[in-house]
Amino acid sequence: MPRAIREAASWSWRILLIGAALAGIGWLLASLQVIVVPVAVALLLAVMLTPVRRFLQYTLRVPRGLAAGLSLAGLIAFAAALVTFAGQQVATGFADLSEEAIAGFEELTAFIDRQFNLDLRDYQSDVLAELEAQRDAIIAGALGAAATAGNLLIGALIALFCTFFFLHDPRGIWSWVVGLLPAGARDRVHQAGRRGIVTLSAYTRTQILVAGVDAIGIGLGSAFFVPSLSVPIGVLVFVGSFIPMVGAIVTGAIATVVVLVAQGWVAAIIMLGIVILVQQIESHVLQPFLMGQAVSLHPVAVILSVAAGSFVAGIAGALFAVPLVALLNTVVLYLNGHDKFPELGDGDKLPIRWLAPDAPPLRIPLRRVAADTADDS
C-alpha cells in the first residue's frame, strides 16, 4: 500500500473519530442547554463580579460569603432598576411612536399605490382571513412561549445559585473538577485553566466596556431624534453588543429603523452615520487596544465562531461562541507548549491532596499552601 494512502487513511479515521466526539458533545450540550446555558452565564457573571467581591472582602473586610451575596444582590438591583426605567420610557414613548408609525405606514402604502398601481387595501381581507385560519397555530405558539418563560425562570434561578457559589468558593469547585482528571495531568490542567480564566476575564470586562461605549454613543445619537426611546435603545444596544460584530450591527439597524419611522429618511441617514461612527471607533480603537494579546482572535475566527454557535445553539450559541473559542485557544496553546501569560508562572499550585501521588514534594511553607488554597486567582 503506498505511503500516501496509509497516511491519508490514518488521518481520515482520526478526523472522523474527533468529529464524532465533537458531535456527541454538541448533542449532549444541546440536550442539556436548560442547565448548560445558566451555568455559562453564571461563570461570566462571576468573572465580572469578582473584582467587586474582592473589594468588599479585602478592602472593606466583609466576610467572604456576605461579600459574594452583596455583589450578586447589587447586580440584580442594578439590572432591575435599568429594566424598570427602560420599561417606563417605552411606555411613555410608545403612544407617540405608534401614531408616527401608523402615519409612516400609511404614507408608505400610498407611495406604493402611486408607483405600482396597487391597492394594498384589497389584500387586507386576505391577511385577516389567513390570520383567522392560523388561529390554532398562534394559540399553540403562545402556549409554547409560556413554557419557554418557565424554562427561563428555572434557568435564571440556576444561574443565580451558581453565580453565588462561583464567587464564594471558586477555588474549591475548580479543585474538585481538576481532581476528576488523571493524577499526572492535574497540575498541568490547573495551570492551563488559570490562563484560560485570565483570557475569559479580559474578554468579559472588555466586552462590557465596549458594549457600554456602543450603548452610550448610539443612545445619545437617538436622543436627538426619539428622546423618549433613547434609554430603551441604549439598553438594547448594550445587550446586543455582547454578540461580537453581529449584535452591534443588528441593534444599530433597529435604532436606525426606529428613527426612520419617527422622523423620516433624513434623520435615519444621520442616525445610520452615528451608528457606523460608533462601530468604527469600537472596531479600530477599543477592541485592539483593550483586548490586546489576551484574546488574540482574528475577525474571521470571530465571525465563523458566531455563525457556528448560532447554527448549533441559536442566540445562546452566538453569545458564548467567541469567549469559548478564546478560552480554548489559550488552553490548547498552553498544553502544546506556548504560554500566552508567562508572567503568571507556575507558583500557584493546587492543594497537595489534588496533586499526583508520585509528584515531587513541594518546597512551599505551610502558610503559603494555606494562602494559595484560600485564594481564588
Side-chain angles (χ1 to χ4, degrees), residues 13 50 134-135 178 192 233 246 248 261 269 274 292 298 337 346 359 361:
W13 74 260
T50 294
Q134 298 296 328
R135 181 179 57 185
V178 175
I233 289 175
V246 178
V261 171
I269 293 174
I274 294 173
H298 194 275
D346 296 329

Side-chain angles (χ1 to χ4, degrees), residues 74-347:
L75 176 65
I76 295 173
F78 175 76
L82 189 61
V83 171
T84 301
F85 183 67
Q88 292 175 349
Q89 294 290 312
V90 170
T92 302
F94 183 77
D96 296 336
L97 182 63
S98 61
E99 294 177 358
E100 294 169 350
I102 293 173
F105 179 75
E106 292 176 350
E107 182 180 350
L108 177 63
T109 54
F111 175 78
I112 294 175
D113 291 343
R114 291 193 303 269
Q115 295 295 323
F116 301 99
N117 294 322
L118 294 175
D119 190 358
L120 296 180
R121 290 174 295 182
D122 295 339
Y123 297 95
Q124 292 179 0
S125 58
D126 296 337
V127 172
L128 293 176
E130 183 65 23
L131 290 176
E132 181 68 21
Q134 298 296 328
R135 181 179 57 185
D136 294 337
I138 294 173
I139 295 174
L143 294 176
T148 302
N151 291 335
L152 288 176
L153 178 60
I154 295 173
L157 294 176
I158 294 174
L160 293 176
F161 182 82
C162 292
T163 302
F164 173 78
F165 283 100
F166 288 164
L167 287 171
H168 178 58
D169 188 24
R171 183 80 172 195
I173 296 173
W174 175 244
S175 297
W176 175 79
V177 171
V178 175
L180 299 176
L181 301 175
R186 290 172 187 169
D187 186 63
R188 188 164 177 79
V189 171
H190 169 61
Q191 300 301 336
R194 291 177 61 211
R195 286 148 178 83
I197 288 296
V198 171
T199 296
L200 191 61
S201 300
Y203 173 84
T204 303
R205 292 161 190 167
T206 300
Q207 207 56 37
I208 291 172
L209 181 58
V210 169
V213 171
D214 287 347
I216 293 173
I218 297 177
L220 288 177
S222 64
F224 291 101
F225 306 107
V226 282
S228 60
L229 294 176
S230 59
V231 173
I233 289 175
V235 173
L236 179 64
V237 172
F238 180 80
V239 175
S241 295
F242 281 92
I243 300 177
M245 296 186 180
V246 178
I249 294 174
V250 172
T251 53
I254 293 174
T256 304
V257 170
V258 171
V259 174
L260 172 63
V261 171
Q263 299 293 335
W265 288 101
V266 176
I269 293 174
I270 297 174
M271 186 66 212
L272 179 61
I274 294 173
V275 170
I276 293 175
L277 176 63
V278 171
Q279 292 179 355
Q280 290 299 310
I281 293 174
E282 170 207 328
S283 301
H284 295 90
V285 178
L286 292 178
Q287 292 278 9
F289 178 75
L290 295 175
M291 289 288 188
Q293 187 66 18
V295 187
S296 52
L297 293 179
H298 194 275
V300 174
V302 173
I303 290 293
L304 294 179
S305 300
V306 172
S310 60
F311 176 77
V312 173
I315 296 177
L319 179 63
F320 295 109
V322 175
L324 178 61
V325 170
L327 186 147
L328 291 177
N329 179 52
T330 299
V331 169
V332 171
L333 286 177
Y334 178 82
L335 295 177
N336 283 279
H338 178 68
D339 188 359
K340 294 175 63 177
F341 305 102
E343 66 275 6
L344 290 180
D346 296 329

Side-chain angles (χ1 to χ4, degrees), residues 2-21:
R3 179 180 178 182
I5 299 297
R6 292 198 306 270
E7 291 183 352
S10 178
W11 275 98
S12 298
W13 74 260
R14 287 178 171 86
I15 291 174
L16 289 175
L17 185 60
I18 293 173

